[in-house]
Amino acid sequence: MNHARFFKAILTLSFTTLFLISSSLLLFSAWVSDFDSDELSSILRANQSENFIQHINLGVLPDGHPAGIQTFIWLGTHFGGWSPLFFRLIWVLFTVLGNIYFKKWLYKVAKGQGCEEHIANWISMFGYAFISLMWWPLSLGSWLRPYAPGFFVLMIFLYHFEQLKSKSSSWIWTGIFLGLLGYIHYFALLTGLMFFWIYRDWETTIFEGNYHNGSGVDRKSTRLNSSHLKLSRMPSSA
């Protein structure tokens, strides 16, 4: 019990330290950064639209991207003004929550593969350290482009997608967040769809189960039996 408490305290301290460091770096970047030309273009297109119809015609259609981010910026200019810090703080929140859901997703993946509790916790912690301190989230996490919101929604999508193994009702949330990915950016939707291919044995995982959820079905043997069945149906050469 003492060892369990010790490792739990180490995990809590590690998460708190990483959270404070990454959040401080993101907030510093948001504080010192002004709008660049790409961001300013979105802000100006949002500001010249007085109603939603004008927003679609003047802000969304000339851009060619899905309407999600531009619509969010349009709403922001009407309620929060032009302040770069106002927008960047929202984007920092997207990045911070995306990092946290990345950690939760890794934990679910590790547990789904049969890892013990403490092993799954350490795997998710190392993953959180990697994603929260790497160049991409720190440099682009407060930039008013689709990256931070897309990352956040993708992580929630993967989290619920992983839960399909034990909770079939997660199909609803999986579909909702997959749709949101398409509303944010085409490549965000492509990334989400790509994970369907990565989890290409999801039929066995969800509907037939595996040893870890108590169903007693081995995915490897299931695939082998399926391959044997296909071979047995092939006509023999005379």
Side-chain angles (χ1 to χ4, degrees):
M1 181 62 68
N2 292 333
H3 289 288
R5 290 180 179 177
F6 174 75
F7 283 115
K8 185 177 181 179
I10 292 295
L11 284 170
T12 303
L13 179 62
S14 300
F15 173 76
T16 304
T17 303
L18 290 168
F19 177 83
L20 291 176
I21 293 175
S22 61
S23 299
S24 299
L25 292 173
L26 283 168
L27 289 173
F28 176 77
S29 175
W31 179 264
V32 300
S33 300
D34 203 348
F35 289 137
D36 65 7
S37 58
D38 203 10
E39 295 171 308
L40 193 58
S41 172
S42 297
I43 295 291
L44 292 175
R45 281 186 284 112
N47 191 65
Q48 67 181 349
S49 305
E50 297 181 358
N51 53 58
F52 191 76
I53 300 299
Q54 288 185 356
H55 155 66
I56 296 297
N57 292 329
L58 302 177
V60 175
L61 294 180
D63 185 44
H65 288 87
I69 299 303
Q70 187 62 32
T71 300
F72 193 88
I73 293 175
W74 177 73
L75 291 173
T77 57
H78 283 69
F79 292 102
W82 283 51
S83 171
L85 185 60
F86 167 75
F87 282 102
R88 294 200 187 283
L89 287 178
I90 299 175
W91 257 247
V92 166
L93 183 61
F94 282 139
T95 303
V96 170
L97 292 177
N99 292 339
I100 292 175
Y101 265 95
F102 180 80
K103 178 179 180 295
K104 292 165 66 72
W105 171 62
L106 281 184
Y107 175 82
K108 286 288 185 181
V109 171
K111 288 290 289 183
Q113 295 300 317
C115 293
E116 297 181 3
E117 184 79 15
H118 66 285
I119 298 296
N121 279 322
W122 280 112
I123 289 174
S124 63
M125 183 57 65
F126 281 118
Y128 178 76
F130 173 77
I131 197 68
S132 63
L133 297 179
M134 70 184 301
W135 172 85
W136 177 86
L138 294 178
S139 60
L140 302 180
S142 61
W143 194 30
L144 268 65
R145 303 314 299 150
Y147 307 117
F151 172 66
F152 168 61
V153 175
L154 176 65
M155 288 302 105
I156 301 181
F157 162 75
L158 291 178
Y159 175 77
H160 286 288
F161 189 76
E162 186 66 25
Q163 282 190 317
L164 290 175
K165 296 177 181 179
S166 58
K167 190 176 180 181
S168 58
S169 61
S170 290
W171 268 119
I172 299 174
W173 293 110
T174 301
I176 290 174
F177 287 108
L178 184 63
L180 284 177
L181 286 175
Y183 199 58
I184 290 173
H185 201 278
Y186 303 121
F187 287 111
L189 175 62
L190 180 62
T191 304
L193 292 174
M194 188 172 63
F195 272 93
F196 277 97
W197 180 83
I198 294 175
Y199 287 106
R200 55 189 177 276
D201 59 344
W202 63 274
E203 306 97 335
T204 305
T205 303
I206 297 170
F207 297 108
E208 297 182 14
N210 52 44
Y211 281 125
H212 305 312
N213 62 19
S215 65
V217 178
D218 185 2
R219 283 182 287 176
K220 183 177 180 181
S221 63
T222 303
R223 287 194 290 268
L224 288 175
N225 292 334
S226 178
S227 300
H228 177 72
L229 181 62
K230 290 178 182 179
L231 289 175
S232 63
R233 290 179 177 177
M234 294 178 61
S236 59
S237 58

